[in-house]
Amino acid sequence: MKKNQQISKEQARYAVLSFFLAQGLCFSTWASRIPDIKAIFAADYLFYWGLILVLIPVGKFLAIPLAGYLVTRLSSSVMVRFSITGYALSLFAIGLVPSIYLLGVFLFSFGVFWNLCDISLNTQGIAIERAYGRTIMASFHGGWSLAACLGALIGFGMIIWDIAPIYHFTLIAALIGIILLISGRFLTNDRPEDTKAEIDQKPEKPWFLKKPEPLLIQLGIVGLFALIIESAMFDWSGVYFESVLKVPKSLQIGFLVFMIMMTAGRFLTNYAYGLLGKRKVLQLAGTFIFLGFFTTAFLAGFFGSIVAKVVVNSIGFMLVGLGISCIVPTNYSFVGAKSKTPVGIALTILSSISFIGSLIAPLLIGGISQVFNLQYAYMVVGLMGLCIVLMVTFSEAYKTDNDH
């Protein structure tokens, strides 16, 4: 393995980008086949299916303190390699399991490794952003979205060609293994001994017993709203086109068009920052989310034509994708620029608050869908966009010197 001083910041940047690509590909491979997995296990009772899906965010949530500890003690580079391996193997296992109970076990595992990967990769990303001296976090998240978009497209093809999830998941796990072999040696060594010394300067309390910065609480609340929205799209968009719109498989493109616009939005984020400032970009994003969900929820049943249904609802999904695209990377960028807490711990605190949204979403959406229908659930989720607008407008965390 090369020593850290022999690795240029460009090499480290592209290595980290490749792992964001791998993570996005792994996630969207699972998300694109959710309706098929649901059908395999005949999980037609939506609240019950919500209970199965909630095991992913439960795994993510329980992994948060573990992630903070391991990233600060072992280094984020070690944890990136470990977590992406576990993430890919969990995906493979999901396609292989014969019972819904084992499915739950591996969905939990998928969530654990997902969050370990999130925190370690974003720690790497913030280190590289600091090395460059400018905001580049959105480009990493744009890479994640690009790969997720590609994964959604591959998943759509697999569905059309009637290829079983196990073969699909095996192919993607193998691709991730190749990325690991090629890029793993170019990750930034963030020298955990230095981070440990920084943490141990005030040994009177462990980090999880200290009051977090108000900045991190405010960013975390917006992250909570964002993760409810993401869960509604990631876990339920395929089900929405299938059960609400009742369109054939060849027209179930909701997840795909959402990911396309999410990807485009992330690559446009840095440009939008310069044009409008971060705060106005986030206010506009929350407005797009609100309009997108209500376009979808209100107009879903207004058209008899299948093509009209697909077009109108795709527009709604695209607005949501464009809106949600900038929120998570902007939050991470604010952590890197403004937080006085060590990065690995700051991201852990932010994730602890944000991931409450992931825990709420499957039960909220599944419960409302069971009592009413998925359209009503999407109306409720759409209100989260307005909550983001209000938080960004009145929160001190989002004030910057270049807002204009």
Side-chain angles (χ1 to χ4, degrees), residues 9-181:
K9 65 182 182 181
E10 288 79 15
Q11 287 175 313
R13 179 179 181 176
Y14 289 117
V16 170
L17 178 60
S18 72
F19 280 101
F20 271 99
L21 292 169
Q23 189 191 26
L25 187 61
C26 189
F27 154 74
S28 65
T29 298
W30 149 249
S32 68
R33 302 307 295 267
I34 287 175
D36 289 323
I37 299 294
K38 177 175 172 287
I40 288 170
F41 291 101
D44 296 324
Y45 186 60
L46 291 183
F47 184 70
Y48 177 64
W49 182 239
L51 289 174
I52 299 297
L53 291 179
V54 82
L55 290 169
I56 293 179
V58 166
K60 291 174 70 176
F61 189 75
L62 293 179
I64 288 171
L66 180 64
Y69 177 83
L70 292 176
V71 167
T72 54
R73 294 305 194 249
L74 300 179
S75 85
S76 60
S77 57
V78 169
M79 287 307 301
V80 166
R81 290 188 286 267
F82 170 72
S83 60
I84 200 69
T85 301
Y87 200 32
L89 290 176
S90 296
L91 177 70
F92 170 75
I94 288 168
L96 198 63
V97 292
S99 77
I100 199 164
Y101 302 106
L102 283 175
L103 175 66
V105 169
F106 287 111
L107 288 179
F108 175 83
S109 170
F110 193 73
V112 169
F113 286 110
W114 181 345
N115 208 28
L116 292 177
C117 201
D118 263 354
I119 292 176
S120 56
L121 260 181
N122 281 290
T123 302
Q124 285 273 310
I126 288 173
I128 293 170
E129 184 172 81
R130 287 174 172 175
Y132 272 81
R134 56 189 172 88
T135 302
I136 60 171
M137 183 63 74
S139 66
F140 291 131
H141 287 256
W144 183 96
S145 295
L146 182 63
C149 184
L150 176 61
L153 185 60
I154 293 170
F156 182 68
M158 295 285 184
I159 292 168
I160 296 300
W161 297 325
D162 201 26
I163 295 175
I166 179 55
Y167 302 114
H168 181 188
F169 293 176
T170 300
L171 171 64
I172 299 305
L175 287 175
I176 292 171
I178 293 170
I179 291 172
L180 175 63
L181 290 173

Side-chain angles (χ1 to χ4, degrees), residues 58-59 100 168 211 219 223-224 249 292 304 333 338 364:
V58 166
I100 199 164
H168 181 188
K211 183 179 178 180
L219 295 176
L224 184 154
K249 284 189 174 184
S333 185
K338 299 178 75 172
L364 174 70

Side-chain angles (χ1 to χ4, degrees), residues 302-382:
F302 281 13
F303 299 92
S305 165
I306 290 178
V307 173
K309 284 183 180 180
V310 170
V311 170
V312 170
N313 284 274
S314 294
I315 291 170
F317 277 35
M318 290 166 75
L319 284 170
V320 176
L322 186 61
I324 199 65
S325 64
C326 65
I327 293 174
V328 172
T330 303
N331 263 4
Y332 284 134
S333 185
F334 272 113
V335 169
K338 299 178 75 172
S339 177
K340 296 178 176 61
T341 304
V343 172
I345 291 176
L347 292 182
T348 301
I349 294 169
L350 176 63
S351 295
S352 298
I353 301 169
S354 299
F355 279 128
I356 295 172
S358 293
L359 293 169
I360 293 170
L363 301 179
L364 174 70
I365 297 168
I368 294 174
S369 299
Q370 195 62 47
V371 176
F372 300 101
N373 59 44
L374 194 48
Q375 285 174 259
Y376 283 96
Y378 265 31
M379 289 180 194
V380 173
V381 175

